[in-house]
PDB file of all heavy atoms in Angstrom:
ATOM      1  N   SER A  11       3.222  24.147  -0.042  1.00 98.00           N
ATOM      2  CA  SER A  11       3.916  25.331   0.482  1.00 98.00           C
ATOM      3  C   SER A  11       5.037  25.780  -0.452  1.00 98.00           C
ATOM      4  O   SER A  11       5.676  24.952  -1.108  1.00 98.00           O
ATOM      5  CB  SER A  11       4.511  25.038   1.862  1.00 98.00           C
ATOM      6  OG  SER A  11       5.245  26.164   2.303  1.00 98.00           O
ATOM      7  N   ARG A  13       7.524  26.921   0.882  1.00 98.00           N
ATOM      8  CA  ARG A  13       8.659  26.735   1.790  1.00 98.00           C
ATOM      9  C   ARG A  13       8.759  25.255   2.153  1.00 98.00           C
ATOM     10  O   ARG A  13       7.935  24.720   2.901  1.00 98.00           O
ATOM     11  CB  ARG A  13       8.474  27.567   3.058  1.00 98.00           C
ATOM     12  CG  ARG A  13       8.242  29.046   2.751  1.00 98.00           C
ATOM     13  CD  ARG A  13       8.301  29.887   3.991  1.00 98.00           C
ATOM     14  NE  ARG A  13       7.440  29.400   5.058  1.00 98.00           N
ATOM     15  CZ  ARG A  13       7.572  29.765   6.322  1.00 98.00           C
ATOM     16  NH1 ARG A  13       8.533  30.609   6.661  1.00 98.00           N
ATOM     17  NH2 ARG A  13       6.741  29.302   7.235  1.00 98.00           N
ATOM     18  N   LYS A  16       8.601  23.182   6.087  1.00 98.00           N
ATOM     19  CA  LYS A  16       8.131  24.053   7.180  1.00 98.00           C
ATOM     20  C   LYS A  16       6.842  23.505   7.794  1.00 98.00           C
ATOM     21  O   LYS A  16       6.691  22.300   7.939  1.00 98.00           O
ATOM     22  CB  LYS A  16       7.971  25.483   6.668  1.00 98.00           C
ATOM     23  CG  LYS A  16       9.262  26.088   6.168  1.00 98.00           C
ATOM     24  CD  LYS A  16      10.209  26.364   7.324  1.00 98.00           C
ATOM     25  CE  LYS A  16      11.434  27.124   6.822  1.00 98.00           C
ATOM     26  NZ  LYS A  16      12.406  27.385   7.862  1.00 98.00           N
ATOM     27  N   ASN A  17       5.916  24.395   8.144  1.00 98.00           N
ATOM     28  CA  ASN A  17       4.751  23.978   8.941  1.00 98.00           C
ATOM     29  C   ASN A  17       3.863  22.943   8.254  1.00 98.00           C
ATOM     30  O   ASN A  17       3.485  21.927   8.861  1.00 98.00           O
ATOM     31  CB  ASN A  17       3.922  25.215   9.300  1.00 98.00           C
ATOM     32  CG  ASN A  17       4.699  26.148  10.188  1.00 98.00           C
ATOM     33  OD1 ASN A  17       4.966  25.831  11.348  1.00 98.00           O
ATOM     34  ND2 ASN A  17       5.100  27.288   9.667  1.00 98.00           N
ATOM     35  N   THR A  18       3.517  23.204   7.002  1.00 98.00           N
ATOM     36  CA  THR A  18       2.606  22.284   6.300  1.00 98.00           C
ATOM     37  C   THR A  18       3.279  20.921   6.121  1.00 98.00           C
ATOM     38  O   THR A  18       2.632  19.872   6.281  1.00 98.00           O
ATOM     39  CB  THR A  18       2.180  22.886   4.942  1.00 98.00           C
ATOM     40  OG1 THR A  18       1.789  24.253   5.157  1.00 98.00           O
ATOM     41  CG2 THR A  18       1.028  22.120   4.331  1.00 98.00           C
ATOM     42  N   VAL A  87      -2.415  28.533   3.828  1.00 98.00           N
ATOM     43  CA  VAL A  87      -3.465  29.427   3.342  1.00 98.00           C
ATOM     44  C   VAL A  87      -2.811  30.697   2.820  1.00 98.00           C
ATOM     45  O   VAL A  87      -2.080  31.368   3.539  1.00 98.00           O
ATOM     46  CB  VAL A  87      -4.457  29.759   4.475  1.00 98.00           C
ATOM     47  CG1 VAL A  87      -5.482  30.781   4.003  1.00 98.00           C
ATOM     48  CG2 VAL A  87      -5.140  28.486   4.965  1.00 98.00           C
ATOM     49  N   TYR A  88      -3.049  31.005   1.535  1.00 98.00           N
ATOM     50  CA  TYR A  88      -2.586  32.255   0.935  1.00 98.00           C
ATOM     51  C   TYR A  88      -3.841  33.014   0.476  1.00 98.00           C
ATOM     52  O   TYR A  88      -4.525  32.561  -0.437  1.00 98.00           O
ATOM     53  CB  TYR A  88      -1.699  31.994  -0.282  1.00 98.00           C
ATOM     54  CG  TYR A  88      -0.255  31.563  -0.005  1.00 98.00           C
ATOM     55  CD1 TYR A  88       0.193  31.250   1.274  1.00 98.00           C
ATOM     56  CD2 TYR A  88       0.648  31.466  -1.047  1.00 98.00           C
ATOM     57  CE1 TYR A  88       1.502  30.851   1.498  1.00 98.00           C
ATOM     58  CE2 TYR A  88       1.966  31.068  -0.830  1.00 98.00           C
ATOM     59  CZ  TYR A  88       2.389  30.756   0.442  1.00 98.00           C
ATOM     60  OH  TYR A  88       3.691  30.357   0.661  1.00 98.00           O
ATOM     61  N   PHE A  89      -4.137  34.102   1.105  1.00 98.00           N
ATOM     62  CA  PHE A  89      -5.334  34.889   0.777  1.00 98.00           C
ATOM     63  C   PHE A  89      -6.580  34.008   0.735  1.00 98.00           C
ATOM     64  O   PHE A  89      -7.319  33.994  -0.260  1.00 98.00           O
ATOM     65  CB  PHE A  89      -5.146  35.673  -0.532  1.00 98.00           C
ATOM     66  CG  PHE A  89      -4.278  36.890  -0.364  1.00 98.00           C
ATOM     67  CD1 PHE A  89      -2.935  36.846  -0.693  1.00 98.00           C
ATOM     68  CD2 PHE A  89      -4.791  38.067   0.160  1.00 98.00           C
ATOM     69  CE1 PHE A  89      -2.111  37.952  -0.507  1.00 98.00           C
ATOM     70  CE2 PHE A  89      -3.980  39.186   0.343  1.00 98.00           C
ATOM     71  CZ  PHE A  89      -2.637  39.126   0.013  1.00 98.00           C
ATOM     72  N   SER A  90      -6.777  33.250   1.803  1.00 98.00           N
ATOM     73  CA  SER A  90      -7.948  32.368   1.939  1.00 98.00           C
ATOM     74  C   SER A  90      -8.060  31.385   0.787  1.00 98.00           C
ATOM     75  O   SER A  90      -9.168  31.047   0.344  1.00 98.00           O
ATOM     76  CB  SER A  90      -9.247  33.180   2.037  1.00 98.00           C
ATOM     77  OG  SER A  90      -9.189  34.018   3.158  1.00 98.00           O
ATOM     78  N   CYS A 123      -2.794  25.026   6.762  1.00 98.00           N
ATOM     79  CA  CYS A 123      -2.114  25.741   7.843  1.00 98.00           C
ATOM     80  C   CYS A 123      -2.145  27.232   7.525  1.00 98.00           C
ATOM     81  O   CYS A 123      -1.791  27.633   6.417  1.00 98.00           O
ATOM     82  CB  CYS A 123      -0.668  25.258   7.945  1.00 98.00           C
ATOM     83  SG  CYS A 123       0.275  26.115   9.223  1.00 98.00           S
ATOM     84  N   ALA A 124      -2.621  28.033   8.475  1.00 98.00           N
ATOM     85  CA  ALA A 124      -2.706  29.481   8.256  1.00 98.00           C
ATOM     86  C   ALA A 124      -2.038  30.224   9.394  1.00 98.00           C
ATOM     87  O   ALA A 124      -1.868  29.677  10.492  1.00 98.00           O
ATOM     88  CB  ALA A 124      -4.163  29.921   8.142  1.00 98.00           C
ATOM     89  N   GLY A 125      -1.699  31.459   9.149  1.00 98.00           N
ATOM     90  CA  GLY A 125      -1.106  32.279  10.192  1.00 98.00           C
ATOM     91  C   GLY A 125      -2.150  32.688  11.222  1.00 98.00           C
ATOM     92  O   GLY A 125      -1.968  32.507  12.428  1.00 98.00           O
ATOM     93  N   LEU A 126      -3.262  33.223  10.751  1.00 97.00           N
ATOM     94  CA  LEU A 126      -4.249  33.821  11.650  1.00 97.00           C
ATOM     95  C   LEU A 126      -5.223  32.789  12.222  1.00 97.00           C
ATOM     96  O   LEU A 126      -5.366  31.694  11.691  1.00 97.00           O
ATOM     97  CB  LEU A 126      -5.025  34.907  10.898  1.00 97.00           C
ATOM     98  CG  LEU A 126      -4.144  36.066  10.415  1.00 97.00           C
ATOM     99  CD1 LEU A 126      -4.912  36.972   9.469  1.00 97.00           C
ATOM    100  CD2 LEU A 126      -3.613  36.858  11.604  1.00 97.00           C
ATOM    101  N   GLY A 129      -8.084  32.636   9.521  1.00 97.00           N
ATOM    102  CA  GLY A 129      -7.303  33.089   8.374  1.00 97.00           C
ATOM    103  C   GLY A 129      -7.722  32.520   7.036  1.00 97.00           C
ATOM    104  O   GLY A 129      -7.036  32.735   6.039  1.00 97.00           O
TER     105      GLY A 129
HETATM  106  C1  FMN B 267       1.306  35.256   0.063  1.00 55.72           C
HETATM  107  C2  FMN B 267       0.841  34.816   1.428  1.00 55.72           C
HETATM  108  C3  FMN B 267      -0.499  34.946   1.741  1.00 55.72           C
HETATM  109  C4  FMN B 267      -0.973  34.549   2.994  1.00 55.72           C
HETATM  110  N1  FMN B 267      -2.299  34.655   3.278  1.00 55.72           N
HETATM  111  C5  FMN B 267      -2.759  34.271   4.487  1.00 55.72           C
HETATM  112  C6  FMN B 267      -4.163  34.339   4.777  1.00 55.72           C
HETATM  113  O1  FMN B 267      -4.999  34.674   3.941  1.00 55.72           O
HETATM  114  N2  FMN B 267      -4.564  33.972   6.029  1.00 55.72           N
HETATM  115  C7  FMN B 267      -3.657  33.559   6.985  1.00 55.72           C
HETATM  116  O2  FMN B 267      -4.083  33.263   8.095  1.00 55.72           O
HETATM  117  N3  FMN B 267      -2.350  33.445   6.727  1.00 55.72           N
HETATM  118  C8  FMN B 267      -1.876  33.783   5.498  1.00 55.72           C
HETATM  119  N4  FMN B 267      -0.530  33.644   5.208  1.00 55.72           N
HETATM  120  C9  FMN B 267       0.352  33.004   6.201  1.00 55.72           C
HETATM  121  C10 FMN B 267       0.565  31.503   5.892  1.00 55.72           C
HETATM  122  O3  FMN B 267      -0.666  30.832   5.755  1.00 55.72           O
HETATM  123  C11 FMN B 267       1.345  30.831   7.017  1.00 55.72           C
HETATM  124  O4  FMN B 267       2.578  31.472   7.169  1.00 55.72           O
HETATM  125  C12 FMN B 267       1.550  29.347   6.759  1.00 55.72           C
HETATM  126  O5  FMN B 267       1.534  28.666   7.946  1.00 55.72           O
HETATM  127  C13 FMN B 267       2.834  29.022   6.076  1.00 55.72           C
HETATM  128  O6  FMN B 267       2.946  27.610   5.918  1.00 55.72           O
HETATM  129  P1  FMN B 267       4.405  26.955   5.645  1.00 55.72           P
HETATM  130  O7  FMN B 267       5.223  27.208   6.873  1.00 55.72           O
HETATM  131  O8  FMN B 267       4.150  25.510   5.412  1.00 55.72           O
HETATM  132  O9  FMN B 267       4.966  27.641   4.436  1.00 55.72           O
HETATM  133  C14 FMN B 267      -0.057  34.033   3.964  1.00 55.72           C
HETATM  134  C15 FMN B 267       1.311  33.902   3.619  1.00 55.72           C
HETATM  135  C16 FMN B 267       1.742  34.296   2.373  1.00 55.72           C
HETATM  136  C17 FMN B 267       3.220  34.127   2.024  1.00 55.72           C
END
Side-chain angles (χ1 to χ4, degrees):
S11 176
R13 305 190 308 163
K16 299 290 187 182
N17 296 291
T18 313
V87 175
Y88 283 8
F89 284 98
S90 300
C123 178
L126 298 170

